[in-house]
Amino acid sequence: MSSIDYRAELARAGANVEGRWSAIRFFARRYPLGAVGAMIMAVFLFAAFFAPLITVYDPLTTNSALSLARPSAAHWLGCDFMGRDVYSRIVYGARISLAVGCGSMSLGVSIGVLIGLLSGYLGGWIDLAAQRLIDILQSLPLLVMALLMAASLGPSLHNTIIAISIPLIPYSARVVRATTLSLREQPFVESAKAIGMSELRIALRHILPNTLAPLIVLATAQFGSTILTEATLSFLGLGIPEPHPSWGRMLSESAAEYVRTAPWLVIFPGLAISFVVFGTNLLGDALRDILDPRQRS
Amino acid sequence: MGSYLVRRFGLMLLTLFGISVIIFLMLRLAPGNIADILFDAAGFVDPAEKAKIMEDLGLDKPLPVQYAQWIGGLLQGDLGYSYVSDRPAIREILPRIPITARVGGLALCFAVLIGVPLGVISAVKQNTRLDYILRVLSLSGLSMPAFWLGLLVLMGFVSYFGTIPIYTDAPQSFWAALGMYSIPAAVVGFRSSALMTRLTRSSMLEVLRQDYIRTARSKGASENVVNYHHALKNAVLPVVTVIGIEAAFLMGGLIVTETVFNIPGVARFLVEAIRWRDYPIVQNLVMYIAIIVVFINFTVDMLYAALDPRIKYSG
């Protein structure tokens, strides 16, 4: 059961469309910024999945002869201090960003959905306890919470994903709780109860799908912020450890020195981060306009 | 209102208690304490000497005792000793606060002075070319990592002046300080202003859709009177309520920007303390940040209840 009815949206807009492709074309015309965002995300996903096909050099192979080599025909974006090809490292870095983005987002959203659903549907003391937990998690800025988590867990890919997912929990928990509260009183939930459906089945089968639209909007927005947070943690030396080609790590503190000597080491990884986060933000805005009519501008 | 205030205050204390427990446990569960790190660095391990250090630092006591000691000290203004510098934590933290407060305050000014007007313009000119440009600009501001923006500014300094600004010496005069801190403040403020623009825009759009705006239009009020007299006043209130979000956002920007610009403020100090596992510094700093954020949110809630006559709270 899907609660997102694109056809209604299309019909209301007067789009006379048949089939998936013309629907996509319609959305692209109506939300040009969203289409740009989707294209940026496609490039990002392509780079992450097909990294070995579009690079020549290994991202981890060091070569002292090429230390701090300027951008050239052989090494488009130059080489870093250890003589590793910056272009390869950026392309392979997309994999790290994708892993952290998907990992933290799905972990944070799943836990948040669980808490929100339990708290909104069951109410009572569970709701009270969940509300306090959310208040506590939200009383620290995202980055400070992630810093604390990362420092306590130690630097590794897994720990970074966990560290970033924890501060995300409150947002999805709040969204799901609010939606669940309003759905709980709906006639279709009462009828489900009347025909003897179990509480768990009602929650999963009837409530959860209806919270999907705001969740998708939230998850897209959070995808961008997880990538930014990972970059920041790695930049501060508390995220992904060497030798993984993380974009933030490539910009780590020595970057202040490269500002003078090797600006290409500073410009390109930062561009990659900004580009991808910009893409998710554009896409997120368009999805919000499409899926959440109250917010429509 | 009175009972609402009391209840809200009680919840605030409960939240602060919860966060203090989480901060405390997180730092204790971390692999490797300061004694391990000191000994790793020294390269030898003498168990007796290590036990002595653990005892001196109070790390051998049971966790509840350590927690009680921390909170007891915190309430009396005793923050313990920095493990790294062996000086009272409060003497390490206090002198750094004014620096961060100046950069943060300036950044907030930038954010409000730039962000709010741009958000209003963007909403009033909705779906025009100007609106699109402002939306893309604010979105790209939010998409740029704060540390990268700082690095780009440093790069600009290198290419124009051949040098980067140095923040280790305290500025002599007010104007020197303003000049010095306005650069990192602009970096932090730029991203916050992007957030401000977006929040103001959506709040303004929300208001512009209300019935009373249509009424104002239909009675013949000019476009300017409608936008700036009727709409703006009501749109600004929700923007005020997100000052808590804004402060938290600013904090993140300050941490990385102070690191990039090498500013000896309290935000960069937090990162250093985390790296060194300097518990007294980390737990106190993070606790202060939590207190500030929770208190701002509490104040904003109270202000909102006081300012908006539509909101009536029952105890």
Side-chain angles (χ1 to χ4, degrees), chain B residues 163-177:
Chain B
T163 181
I164 54 177
I166 293 165
Y167 289 90
T168 41
D169 300 322
Q172 296 305 316
S173 69
F174 171 77
W175 292 108

Side-chain angles (χ1 to χ4, degrees), chain A residues 224-267:
Chain A
S225 87
T226 55
I227 291 179
L228 270 185
T229 312
E230 181 272 314
T232 307
L233 287 182
S234 300
F235 169 76
L236 294 173
L238 294 161
I240 313 277
E242 288 281 3
H244 293 294
S246 147
W247 292 339
R249 185 83 209 179
M250 291 168 78
L251 286 166
S252 69
E253 284 136 294
S254 44
E257 187 48 40
Y258 295 142
V259 160
R260 294 166 189 274
T261 53
W264 59 90
L265 290 182
V266 176
I267 293 175

Side-chain angles (χ1 to χ4, degrees), chain B residues 52-304:
Chain B
K52 170 100 175 41
I53 289 185
M54 300 269 287
E55 196 189 319
D56 285 349
L57 299 176
L59 294 174
D60 56 336
K61 299 197 178 74
L63 285 184
V65 176
Q66 288 188 42
Y67 175 80
Q69 279 177 348
W70 171 44
I71 293 295
L74 198 65
L75 293 176
Q76 293 167 14
D78 171 18
L79 306 184
Y81 276 78
S82 159
Y83 294 167
V84 174
S85 69
D86 211 18
R87 292 175 42 179
I90 191 136
R91 292 244 300 273
E92 293 281 345
I93 293 174
L94 272 185
R96 291 170 212 255
I97 289 178
I99 300 175
T100 302
R102 280 179 202 146
V103 180
L106 268 176
L108 196 64
C109 291
F110 272 109
V112 173
L113 290 179
I114 299 171
V116 173
L118 288 186
V120 171
I121 293 172
S122 192
V124 170
K125 306 268 176 210
Q126 196 196 355
N127 290 334
T128 61
R129 191 164 296 164
L130 187 62
D131 178 34
Y132 268 82
I133 291 171
L134 287 175
R135 275 164 70 190
V136 168
L137 264 183
S138 60
L139 210 54
S140 45
L142 284 175
S143 308
M144 251 186 251
F147 58 88
W148 190 56
L149 191 62
L151 288 169
L152 289 185
V153 169
L154 285 185
M155 202 179 270
F157 260 89
V158 169
S159 57
Y160 281 104
F161 303 108
T163 181
I164 54 177
I166 293 165
Y167 289 90
T168 41
D169 300 322
Q172 296 305 316
S173 69
F174 171 77
W175 292 108
L178 192 69
M180 244 172 96
Y181 293 129
S182 62
I183 302 152
V187 171
V188 180
F190 173 70
R191 292 191 79 236
S192 299
S193 78
L195 184 70
M196 225 42 169
T197 303
R198 281 169 67 83
L199 293 170
T200 311
R201 179 179 183 271
S202 57
S203 166
M204 187 80 180
L205 282 179
E206 190 79 19
V207 171
L208 283 175
R209 272 198 294 267
Q210 302 289 323
D211 289 339
Y212 64 84
I213 294 294
R214 196 180 310 135
T215 312
R217 282 225 172 80
S218 64
K219 72 169 192 183
S222 75
E223 204 51 29
N224 278 337
V225 169
V226 170
N227 287 334
Y228 302 110
H229 182 77
H230 293 267
L232 185 58
K233 273 189 201 162
N234 288 299
V236 165
L237 197 58
V239 174
V240 173
T241 61
V242 293
I243 280 181
I245 302 175
E246 191 68 34
F249 193 79
L250 211 62
M251 199 77 75
L254 283 171
I255 288 174
V256 287
T257 308
E258 284 190 359
T259 306
V260 169
F261 283 85
N262 234 343
I263 301 170
V266 78
R268 190 192 67 169
F269 191 51
L270 172 67
V271 177
E272 282 170 7
I274 286 179
R275 280 201 205 119
W276 275 99
R277 300 211 182 291
D278 199 344
Y279 296 156
I281 301 280
V282 177
Q283 67 190 11
N284 289 318
L285 278 182
V286 177
M287 195 59 213
Y288 274 128
I289 294 173
I291 292 174
I292 291 171
V293 172
V294 170
F295 188 72
I296 288 176
N297 282 328
F298 173 73
T299 317
V300 165
D301 271 9
M302 291 304 118
L303 268 181
Y304 201 51

Side-chain angles (χ1 to χ4, degrees), chain A residues 79-122:
Chain A
C79 293
D80 67 3
F81 179 69
M82 320 250 289
R84 295 173 295 198
D85 182 55
V86 171
Y87 169 72
S88 296
R89 286 180 72 73
I90 287 182
V91 171
Y92 276 89
R95 292 185 162 183
I96 304 273
S97 287
L98 183 66
V100 173
C102 288
S104 312
M105 186 194 70
S106 22
L107 193 61
V109 168
S110 321
I111 301 176
V113 166
L114 193 70
I115 293 178
L117 204 57
L118 284 176
S119 141
Y121 191 69
L122 296 179

Side-chain angles (χ1 to χ4, degrees), chain A:
Chain A
M1 188 188 102
S2 164
S3 61
I4 305 162
D5 192 355
Y6 299 103
R7 271 162 305 172
E9 159 83 8
L10 291 170
R12 195 164 52 237
N16 195 9
V17 291
E18 282 167 29
R20 193 162 286 156
W21 280 109
S22 52
I24 288 176
R25 269 205 301 278
F26 168 76
F27 275 119
R29 264 204 312 277
R30 182 143 183 212
Y31 301 99
L33 290 180
V36 172
M39 260 150 62
I40 292 176
M41 291 317 286
V43 171
F44 169 61
L45 290 178
F46 183 83
F49 281 116
F50 302 105
L53 296 179
I54 52 174
T55 53
V56 182
Y57 304 98
D58 183 82
L60 303 181
T61 309
T62 57
N63 181 349
S64 55
L66 287 168
S67 176
L68 297 181
R70 294 181 158 278
S72 60
H75 298 276
W76 294 348
L77 306 183
C79 293
D80 67 3
F81 179 69
M82 320 250 289
R84 295 173 295 198
D85 182 55
V86 171
Y87 169 72
S88 296
R89 286 180 72 73
I90 287 182
V91 171
Y92 276 89
R95 292 185 162 183
I96 304 273
S97 287
L98 183 66
V100 173
C102 288
S104 312
M105 186 194 70
S106 22
L107 193 61
V109 168
S110 321
I111 301 176
V113 166
L114 193 70
I115 293 178
L117 204 57
L118 284 176
S119 141
Y121 191 69
L122 296 179
W125 66 268
I126 293 181
D127 186 33
L128 277 179
Q131 287 306 302
R132 293 287 74 75
L133 183 69
I134 288 169
D135 274 355
I136 290 167
L137 287 178
Q138 277 199 320
S139 60
L140 280 179
L142 197 149
L143 183 63
V144 176
M145 192 72 174
L147 267 176
L148 197 63
M149 286 278 166
S152 134
L153 296 169
S156 79
L157 182 61
H158 288 109
N159 290 345
T160 305
I161 290 176
I162 297 171
I164 299 175
S165 71
I166 305 291
L168 296 181
I169 293 172
Y171 301 92
S172 45
R174 288 202 157 178
V175 165
V176 172
R177 177 178 176 270
T179 323
T180 307
L181 278 180
S182 67
L183 287 171
R184 202 173 54 178
E185 313 299 331
Q186 298 279 320
F188 72 87
V189 174
E190 275 178 30
S191 15
K193 268 185 195 146
I195 60 171
M197 226 181 211
S198 74
E199 298 282 352
L200 184 70
R201 201 171 143 82
I202 295 174
L204 293 180
R205 195 86 182 88
H206 291 283
I207 307 265
L208 191 58
N210 282 301
T211 62
L212 217 55
L215 264 186
I216 290 174
V217 174
L218 186 77
T220 321
Q222 287 190 343
F223 189 78
S225 87
T226 55
I227 291 179
L228 270 185
T229 312
E230 181 272 314
T232 307
L233 287 182
S234 300
F235 169 76
L236 294 173
L238 294 161
I240 313 277
E242 288 281 3
H244 293 294
S246 147
W247 292 339
R249 185 83 209 179
M250 291 168 78
L251 286 166
S252 69
E253 284 136 294
S254 44
E257 187 48 40
Y258 295 142
V259 160
R260 294 166 189 274
T261 53
W264 59 90
L265 290 182
V266 176
I267 293 175
F268 298 117
L271 267 182
I273 302 169
S274 311
F275 186 65
V276 170
V277 177
F278 186 57
T280 62
N281 283 339
L282 283 179
L283 190 65
D285 269 14
L287 283 178
R288 189 196 55 205
D289 285 351
I290 295 171
L291 297 176
D292 191 352
R294 278 166 309 166
Q295 296 264 335
R296 183 168 292 150
S297 48

